[in-house]
Amino acid sequence: MNTHIILISFKSAGKTTVGLTLSAVLKLQFLDLDRQIEKIYRKKTGQKINCRNIMSIKGETFFRRLENVTLKKILKTRKSAIIALGGGAPLQEKNQILLKNHFIIHIVAAKKTGFDRIKKQGRPSFFPQDKDMRVHFNKLWKERMPVYKKLADVEADLKLNRSRLHHP
């Protein structure tokens, strides 16, 4: 089995930026789990929709099952790669078991930055419509951070100078 570099963090923390930089430096393929989920969904249904809409239409249970199947497939069939997971993927116990033998980097961004980016992109499908966005964000942040920290082999703190992420 190949060992992968797994990037975990809250939504919009910078996994793609870090993943693409690592990919260039290490000469490894970069994969975004959400994009892979969308490809598999499109292949099965013929519908080209994003993860936000898959979750809205099909529900979280369906989405999390598809996420787990996709992650399992990627980890088993790919050469070593850099893989960015969606913010909720590491919370699922089934996924945590799959990730055990891989190198996990927790991307840390400032809490305010994370909230501002999410707000700019629009309310995520996993944010209840009847609750204040900031209240729900804070609740999720509090729930997720200990899980990310527990799983991580290393933390990459993006609150530092961003220019350090660029490969010269």
Side-chain angles (χ1 to χ4, degrees), residues 98-151:
L98 294 174
L99 298 173
K100 274 190 176 174
N101 297 315
H102 301 284
F103 187 77
I104 301 173
I105 301 174
H106 173 207
I107 309 300
V108 182
K111 187 175 179 181
K112 181 185 179 332
T113 302
F115 179 75
D116 290 345
R117 288 177 183 165
I118 288 171
K119 199 166 103 177
K120 186 177 179 181
Q121 295 169 4
R123 182 183 293 270
S125 57
F126 57 91
F127 276 39
Q129 294 296 321
D130 61 341
K131 292 194 177 160
D132 178 80
M133 243 177 100
R134 185 174 295 279
V135 170
H136 192 66
F137 172 86
N138 287 334
K139 177 182 176 287
L140 288 178
W141 185 275
K142 188 177 178 182
E143 291 170 358
R144 291 179 177 194
M145 284 306 133
V147 176
Y148 297 156
K149 288 179 184 300
K150 178 185 89 172
L151 294 173

Side-chain angles (χ1 to χ4, degrees), residues 5-150:
I5 297 172
I6 308 294
L7 306 178
I8 62 173
S9 71
F10 208 87
K11 179 177 176 53
S12 301
K15 295 180 293 278
T16 300
T17 301
V18 172
L20 291 170
T21 301
L22 285 173
S23 174
V25 171
L26 300 174
K27 307 286 187 256
L28 292 173
Q29 182 180 16
F30 172 71
L31 298 166
D32 182 302
L33 180 61
D34 284 352
R35 299 303 76 77
Q36 299 302 310
I37 290 167
E38 291 164 1
K39 282 183 187 176
I40 287 174
Y41 186 82
R42 183 172 49 247
K43 209 177 220 181
K44 288 183 177 186
T45 67
Q47 293 180 299
K48 185 179 180 179
I49 60 175
N50 63 24
C51 285
R52 176 190 297 239
N53 290 328
I54 294 170
M55 190 179 282
S56 292
I57 294 165
K58 296 298 222 172
E60 187 171 4
T61 302
F62 174 88
F63 180 81
R64 295 297 174 202
R65 237 188 343 252
L66 180 58
E67 178 181 66
N68 175 259
V69 167
T70 305
L71 179 59
K72 196 179 298 184
K73 182 178 177 184
I74 289 170
L75 294 176
K76 283 185 180 176
T77 61
R78 299 275 182 167
K79 291 191 293 183
S80 291
I82 297 160
I83 305 166
L85 303 189
L91 307 177
Q92 309 306 311
E93 193 173 328
K94 285 190 225 178
N95 294 342
Q96 291 177 16
I97 292 166
L98 294 174
L99 298 173
K100 274 190 176 174
N101 297 315
H102 301 284
F103 187 77
I104 301 173
I105 301 174
H106 173 207
I107 309 300
V108 182
K111 187 175 179 181
K112 181 185 179 332
T113 302
F115 179 75
D116 290 345
R117 288 177 183 165
I118 288 171
K119 199 166 103 177
K120 186 177 179 181
Q121 295 169 4
R123 182 183 293 270
S125 57
F126 57 91
F127 276 39
Q129 294 296 321
D130 61 341
K131 292 194 177 160
D132 178 80
M133 243 177 100
R134 185 174 295 279
V135 170
H136 192 66
F137 172 86
N138 287 334
K139 177 182 176 287
L140 288 178
W141 185 275
K142 188 177 178 182
E143 291 170 358
R144 291 179 177 194
M145 284 306 133
V147 176
Y148 297 156
K149 288 179 184 300
K150 178 185 89 172

